[in-house]
């Protein structure tokens, strides 16, 4: 099966690496003394390490804008646009964005910086750490077209981190109904939090339910389990394992990226 990932990201079973941006203006953790120059410098260091390590694509996210909002402030999107804009000449791989947890802002940012894809919670109703989490996919997609972002690929997170469907639903049924009702470009299957391993059993049930749709392992993919995850999934979103000592809060470790991607590239030869 040939998916859009080959055309847009350059390979089958791509590794999309997260470039986590430090806290920015308006975020409680923002370093006012270091300012945006510090945020940009940290992002540049991580981006260059990820690219040198051989990842297939990069996704910029405001990962350290904790605690997260379901409707982000204007200053967050503006700050992310500045970071990406300043780095744009140095970006050598396809890239996307994720403004946590606001699909409208994610699409607006993608339109502004020419992002190829966004990852968000586009559908469903959840009980979450952020309160009651509701969505309206029809409005979101109409907004996507209104702002000229219709070519931006939509990566639907159907097993959201730190959240549970308000009504108990089988994940395979969720996958099938999401694909039928919303026509996502990909489904992302996650663990409980960033860095938590995606359950391979759940991943397989989702992939079996929607074999013609791209399914991505969204969290917790490590060098020890990447072959197992990619034997099921059509790609992966990877972050924590690329960082120094595999710790979420740390910066990217080039050596870890290279070792991971060497293993991925060797494994992918079986699918060429």
């Amino acid at each position: 099966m040939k998916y859009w990932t080959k055309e847009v990201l350059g390979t089958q079973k791509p590794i999309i690496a997260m470039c986590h941006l430090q806290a920015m203006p308006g975020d409680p953790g923002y370093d006012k003394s270091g300012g945006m120059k510090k945020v940009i410098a940290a992002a540049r260091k991580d981006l260059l390490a990820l690219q040198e390590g051989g990842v297939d694509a990069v996704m910029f996210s405001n990962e350290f804008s904790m605690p997260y909002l379901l409707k982000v402030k204007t200053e967050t999107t503006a700050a992310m646009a500045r970071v990406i804009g300043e780095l744009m000449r140095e970006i050598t791989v396809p890239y996307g964005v994720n403004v946590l947890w606001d699909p409208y802002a994610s699409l607006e940012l993608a339109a502004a910086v020419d992002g190829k894809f966004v990852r968000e919670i586009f559908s469903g109703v959840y009980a979450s750490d952020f309160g009651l989490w509701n969505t309206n996919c029809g409005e979101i997609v109409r907004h996507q077209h209104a702002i000229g972002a219709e070519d931006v690929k939509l990566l639907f997170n159907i097993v959201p981190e730190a959240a549970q469907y308000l009504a108990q639903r089988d994940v395979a049924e969720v996958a099938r109904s999401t694909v039928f009702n919303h026509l996502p470009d990909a489904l992302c299957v996650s663990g409980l939090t960033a860095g938590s391993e995606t359950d391979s059993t759940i991943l397989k049930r989702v992939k079996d339910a929607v074999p013609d749709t791209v399914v991505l392992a969204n969290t917790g993919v490590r060098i020890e389990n990447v072959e197992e995850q990619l034997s099921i999934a059509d790609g992966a979103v990877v972050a924590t394992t690329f960082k120094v000592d595999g710790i979420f809060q740390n910066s990217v470790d080039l050596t870890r990226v290279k070792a991971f991607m060497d293993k991925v590239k060797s494994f992918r030869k079986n699918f060429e």
Side-chain angles (χ1 to χ4, degrees):
M1 174 70 70
K2 184 178 180 181
Y3 297 111
W4 60 265
T5 50
K6 175 71 172 178
E7 178 183 354
V8 176
L9 305 181
T11 184
Q12 300 286 61
K13 295 188 180 285
I15 300 300
I16 301 171
M18 297 303 301
C19 188
H20 289 163
L21 305 186
Q22 297 298 309
M24 292 170 286
D27 295 332
Y30 179 52
D31 181 352
K32 294 180 182 178
S33 61
M36 282 299 295
K37 289 183 179 179
K38 183 177 179 180
V39 176
I40 294 165
R44 174 176 283 111
K45 180 181 176 183
D46 282 355
L47 169 68
L48 296 180
L50 291 168
Q51 291 182 158
E52 186 177 345
V55 302
D56 303 304
V58 169
M59 178 156 47
F60 297 92
S61 76
N62 58 323
E63 205 76 18
F64 294 105
S65 292
M66 296 171 168
Y68 300 130
L69 295 167
L70 300 185
K71 181 173 177 54
V72 303
K73 304 294 184 180
T74 304
E75 57 265 28
T76 299
T77 311
M80 293 182 73
R82 178 182 172 188
V83 173
I84 297 168
E86 295 219 14
L87 299 181
M88 197 168 288
R89 292 183 181 179
E90 300 171 71
I91 303 173
T92 59
V93 296
Y95 61 93
V97 299
N98 182 195
V99 186
L100 298 160
W101 285 103
D102 187 335
Y104 296 95
S106 290
L107 283 165
E108 289 157 3
L109 179 59
V113 301
D114 297 324
K116 298 293 187 183
F117 55 89
V118 298
R119 179 189 62 178
E120 267 299 345
I121 308 299
F122 291 105
S123 62
V125 183
Y126 311 89
S128 78
D129 289 353
F130 319 114
L132 184 63
W133 194 341
N134 199 2
T135 61
N136 188 328
C137 190
E139 285 191 358
I140 296 166
V141 173
R142 282 166 175 77
H143 184 63
Q144 175 191 17
H145 284 254
I147 63 174
E150 56 268 23
D151 292 332
V152 174
K153 300 297 184 184
L154 305 185
L155 282 51
F156 279 52
N157 195 337
I158 64 162
V159 184
E161 302 164 33
Q164 186 174 28
Y165 284 94
L166 205 57
Q168 292 296 320
R169 298 182 63 198
D170 179 80
V171 69
E173 292 180 0
V174 170
R176 283 191 289 267
S177 65
T178 299
V179 168
F180 180 84
N181 287 312
H182 303 311
L183 305 175
D185 295 298
L187 300 182
C188 298
V189 183
S190 307
L192 178 61
T193 61
S196 299
E197 183 172 349
T198 303
D199 187 321
S200 59
T201 303
I202 295 176
L203 190 61
K204 188 175 188 307
R205 293 189 63 218
V206 171
K207 185 58 191 175
D208 288 346
V210 288
D212 296 329
T213 299
V214 172
V215 173
L216 303 174
N218 194 48
T219 61
V221 180
R222 305 183 303 276
I223 196 167
E224 297 84 3
N225 67 14
V226 64
E227 290 185 351
E228 177 190 10
Q229 298 278 282
L230 289 184
S231 68
I232 303 167
D234 303 303
V237 180
V238 182
T240 301
T241 200
F242 286 157
K243 299 190 175 188
V244 174
D245 297 326
I247 296 174
F248 171 74
Q249 292 82 1
N250 289 345
S251 59
V252 170
D253 182 337
L254 173 58
T255 301
R256 292 176 70 97
V257 180
K258 283 185 173 179
F260 183 98
M261 290 307 302
D262 284 347
K263 190 167 188 178
V264 168
K265 289 171 184 176
S266 177
F267 177 76
R268 282 198 300 224
K269 291 177 182 177
N270 299 320
F271 297 88
E272 293 177 351

